[in-house]
Amino acid sequence: LTYNSKMVHSAHDMTPNDAHKKGNHLEVKMKLEMNRIKTRKYPPVRVGDEVKIYRKKGISEEERTSSWSANKFTIERIERKLGQDYYYVQAVTRAYLRSEILKV
């Protein structure tokens, strides 16, 4: 009760109960985006570089199993659409974002 109604969160300057109200959703989202830390940097990837692809682990896979593909793929082309770079790799028809590939 105390946490939800009296404790003011430092990221959006509201209590959880106030932040949950419909009128405050936009304000909370804007403040959280402004305070977000954006420090993740990826090395540049060019056509011809070898990469591994992110894969979702299966239900029975253990935590120590790698979430990157065992095979290496080569970047065939890079397209810029809608303000983002899409990476196409050999033998796969799907386009990948930069966060879904690992430069090897």
Side-chain angles (χ1 to χ4, degrees):
L1 179 66
T2 302
Y3 179 82
N4 287 328
S5 59
K6 294 182 181 178
M7 304 277 293
V8 176
H9 197 281
S10 63
H12 48 69
D13 298 325
M14 293 184 203
T15 64
N17 283 344
D18 290 338
H20 194 65
K21 293 178 183 173
K22 284 192 177 195
N24 295 333
H25 279 250
L26 182 61
E27 184 179 351
V28 170
K29 184 170 180 157
M30 285 178 46
K31 285 185 178 181
L32 288 175
E33 282 296 316
M34 287 174 37
N35 293 331
R36 182 177 64 150
I37 298 172
K38 307 168 203 162
T39 58
R40 182 166 293 175
K41 299 196 185 221
Y42 297 103
V45 177
R46 296 184 189 94
V47 175
D49 286 346
E50 287 190 336
V51 295
K52 289 188 176 188
I53 298 173
Y54 179 79
R55 63 176 189 83
K56 191 171 180 179
K57 291 184 185 181
I59 295 171
S60 62
E61 284 190 87
E62 295 183 3
E63 190 173 325
R64 64 178 173 250
T65 308
S66 176
S67 51
W68 299 100
S69 65
N71 302 333
K72 293 179 186 177
F73 299 94
T74 305
I75 299 285
E76 287 186 340
R77 70 177 200 258
I78 302 170
E79 286 185 9
R80 184 152 185 88
K81 290 188 280 187
L82 304 172
Q84 291 187 358
D85 290 334
Y86 291 92
Y87 299 86
Y88 292 89
V89 297
Q90 67 180 18
V92 181
T93 57
R94 180 178 171 241
Y96 292 97
L97 295 174
R98 179 61 185 96
S99 59
E100 297 174 311
I101 58 175
L102 175 70
K103 186 175 180 180
V104 180

